[in-house]
Amino acid sequence: MDYLRAFIFLVLILSAISLSEAGSIGVNYGRISDELPSAFKVVQLLKSQGIDRVKIFDADPAVLKALSGSGIQVTVDLPNEMLFSAAKRPSFAATWVKRNVAAYHPSTQIESVAVGNEVFVDPHNTTKYLIPAMRNIHKALVSYNLHSSIKISSPLALSALQNSYPSSSGSFRPELVDLVIKPMLDFLRETGSRLMINVYPFFAYEGNSDVIPLDYALLKENPGMVDSGNGLRYFNLFDAQIDAVFAAMSALKYDDIEIIVTETGWPSKGDENEIGASVANAASYNGNLIRRILTGGGTPLRPKADLTIYLFALFNENKKFGPTSERNYGLFFPDEKKVYDIPFTQEGLKHYRDGGHNTPATGNQQVTPPNNGGGVSKSLTGSTWCVANGDAGKDRLQGGLDYACGDGGADCRPIQRGAPCYSPDTLEAHASFAFNSYYQKKGRAGGSCYFGGAAYVVSQPPKYGRCEFPTGY
């Protein structure tokens, strides 16, 4: 009997450990809408769905008051437009922390402060203020003795990567490394904080739907893809993108920094050219991702790295600018009804089956598959091309052309004398064809259209004589 009791006790302990080591699900609570319920009703909605983490894009008093006593962990944001003041004036940072953090914590369980959001792509050029702002906010937290319980980071877009495919070649953009990446990672290491990243497989699929399998993007069952650099097999694009960031940090000797995914999602509706935006696909992506996170386990490169993710977003937001998809990332309509039915808890997963059907396009639009035998796909849906930068100079263009046609493996036969794309016989035209061939063969991966600054991506078909540029191989 003693052995039986010991065995049962061990099973219970191991079960508790396995549950505690699973990842965690949160949501982004954006409010660019004039249709949303009150903050109090939103908190009740979160609790009814078992969602115990929320991230907001400011530090709105009404929201923070509504969250008081709820037990929901909160991430607040210092907006990009405040970075300059927070960086230049420690007193500003101290006052911001006093009014927006210390005034509510711990009744409102603020667990982290996101300083800015995707700062590197901010058109107002706020990158140089990021690290000083983070340090001043941290000093303010120290003054209130909150620095141990509240961590600081800053969400990065994947565009901070120079290379992301294959995952093992992940690297940060060289112009950012010494300026901000290393100082940020040093800060995160010093303070025991995690790197915040925003990951959207939808964007990669939308622009590369003729080379990325939909099942791979939606975390559905598929044969997977082997990373040629490390031999690891990936069964979904989300893991591959996360590991590209891990590889980029590892290349800089920051293997000890953990990652938290502050935004990820899939739109339920989009414009005609927004390939893959549909209710079924959004339900599949988010539902399968929740299952993948809550059942525990890391990525192929970091198998023990259980992740916390924040789904984007809680509601459809009718006042957002941009394409239709921007207003249709919500898990709920403003009337609090679900856009599609997925669970948010381990209990809910027990009865969950992915009911989404593969719908790679909105409306009646079809994706043209690549020709048989590895030929060229002429599909223009969601396509991008890589062309030469005429201002880069002859030496850089020639060097890029030589690499693309040599070790790069580009198909340069069409630009040989007498071939269809030989005319016009200019370095820029020939380099553009070679760069684009390399770019398409690499699956239009981030960083594959760079060539030392001699190339850039365009969304309209290049025009060089009568030459047709391929959109996939």
Side-chain angles (χ1 to χ4, degrees), residues 52 67-73 107 109:
D52 59 6
L67 285 162
S68 177
S70 66
I72 296 172
Q73 301 286 321
S107 180
Q109 295 183 23

Side-chain angles (χ1 to χ4, degrees), residues 32-38 315-319 333-335:
I32 306 178
S33 172
D34 59 5
E35 304 174 324
L36 300 184
S38 68
F315 294 108
N316 285 339
E317 299 172 72
N318 68 324
K319 292 298 184 180
F333 293 110
D335 63 3

Side-chain angles (χ1 to χ4, degrees), residues 37 107 150 177 299 370 414 450:
S107 180
I150 300 176
V177 171
T299 63
Y450 183 64

Side-chain angles (χ1 to χ4, degrees), residues 288-358:
N288 290 332
L289 180 61
I290 288 170
R291 178 168 53 195
R292 183 241 171 281
I293 297 299
L294 291 185
T295 52
T299 63
L301 189 61
R302 297 283 182 88
K304 296 182 180 180
D306 292 303
L307 293 170
T308 292
I309 68 164
Y310 287 81
L311 299 174
F312 187 89
L314 185 57
F315 294 108
N316 285 339
E317 299 172 72
N318 68 324
K319 292 298 184 180
K320 295 192 75 171
F321 294 107
T324 298
S325 62
E326 283 294 312
R327 294 174 289 283
N328 290 279
Y329 274 89
L331 301 164
F332 293 87
F333 293 110
D335 63 3
E336 302 182 45
K337 293 180 181 178
K338 285 187 175 182
V339 178
Y340 39 84
D341 190 19
I342 58 172
F344 300 103
T345 64
Q346 288 181 328
E347 181 64 27
L349 283 174
K350 293 179 180 178
H351 311 289
Y352 174 70
R353 296 291 182 273
D354 175 14
H357 302 289
N358 287 359

